[in-house]
Amino acid sequence: KLLETLLQGYYADEIAGVGGRGIEATASSTEEGVNGIYNLWRYLHASQGFGDLSIKGVSMLWGLCSSYRKKVLEQVGGFDPIYKTNGEDVDIGIKINKLCLKLVYLPEAIVYHNRNDNFDSLKEMITRWYFWGYTAKKRNNDPAFLPYLRIILFNFIKNIIFDLIIKRNPGLAFISLKASGIELKATFKALLSKGQPRY
């Protein structure tokens, strides 16, 4: 079913890749259990997708649910081995967009993401996302610093409002506050890294 859905997105020669989204399989609507609030926070604020509508022309495809034309991957030099856990999706997305080809997002293409977080594992995930995403942009001479600061500020405001006003959950808001600090630290670490970045 997933492969059939992705293949339907290749309806024109200009389409270089088609991808979908991840659904957090371990997230729950309550904070029951030791790690429940961290899984809930990830479900609410760190989902890997672009929403419920199809989009032709996204900047990247999420690594957990993506496909590409083989000839395009060969054209951009394949996946850079420096990205061992994160950032490869951002890197490939930048390279493909520079060729003026299209990446298509199909929300009906779904992968169930089975992950169970505590604070340390959530911190590690956020750090990798921001460090390697920023690194990919920097290595491709793509503007990153101000866009990343805007994303971090926007997400902080949006998440805090959602956590306190909609969910009425100070625990979620506290995690959002901590997450913004982690994002800033990872961004500055990537900004200041020289040569081959290490994380």
Side-chain angles (χ1 to χ4, degrees):
K1 175 72 173 155
L2 175 62
L3 291 177
E4 289 176 9
T5 303
L6 292 173
L7 286 172
Q8 288 171 7
Y10 290 96
Y11 52 82
D13 290 340
E14 66 176 344
I15 296 171
V18 181
R21 59 178 164 171
I23 301 291
E24 297 297 337
T26 55
S28 86
S29 60
T30 67
E31 289 87 50
E32 294 175 3
V34 175
N35 300 334
I37 194 166
Y38 299 107
N39 292 329
L40 178 60
W41 187 90
R42 188 186 67 252
Y43 172 76
L44 294 171
H45 301 310
S47 64
Q48 298 181 64
F50 295 114
D52 296 329
L53 299 176
S54 298
I55 307 170
K56 180 183 178 184
V58 292
S59 62
M60 58 166 275
L61 300 173
W62 296 95
L64 84 170
C65 187
S66 57
S67 65
Y68 302 93
R69 291 188 192 273
K70 181 181 176 183
K71 66 180 181 181
V72 175
L73 285 180
E74 291 171 345
Q75 191 175 352
V76 299
F79 289 100
D80 189 330
I82 194 171
Y83 306 105
K84 293 181 173 45
T85 61
N86 293 89
E88 80 292 341
D89 43 13
V90 177
D91 181 65
I92 287 290
I94 293 168
K95 290 173 179 175
I96 288 174
N97 276 285
K98 283 183 177 178
L99 295 175
C100 297
L101 297 171
K102 299 293 183 185
L103 297 173
V104 173
Y105 169 71
L106 298 177
E108 60 272 22
I110 294 171
V111 168
Y112 289 95
H113 191 217
N114 191 13
R115 179 185 171 102
N116 190 29
D117 272 311
N118 56 32
F119 179 74
D120 290 338
S121 64
L122 193 63
K123 177 182 176 182
E124 178 73 14
M125 180 196 82
I126 294 167
T127 300
R128 287 197 316 266
W129 279 13
Y130 278 78
F131 180 87
W132 288 110
Y134 190 99
T135 297
K137 285 182 169 289
K138 188 167 80 169
R139 286 167 58 87
N140 284 285
N141 298 313
D142 202 48
F145 186 67
L146 289 179
Y148 263 54
L149 289 185
R150 280 195 295 268
I151 289 168
I152 292 167
L153 179 62
F154 174 78
N155 285 343
F156 171 72
I157 294 169
K158 175 179 66 80
N159 293 352
I160 292 290
I161 290 171
F162 182 85
D163 296 339
L164 292 176
I165 295 175
I166 306 297
K167 297 300 281 185
R168 297 182 182 178
N169 189 322
L172 285 174
F174 182 70
I175 297 172
S176 290
L177 176 64
K178 296 280 283 183
S180 296
I182 295 164
E183 292 162 3
L184 275 173
K185 184 177 179 182
T187 297
F188 276 100
K189 186 174 181 180
L191 171 70
L192 298 173
S193 68
K194 305 277 187 199
Q196 289 288 82
R198 296 187 185 278
Y199 169 72

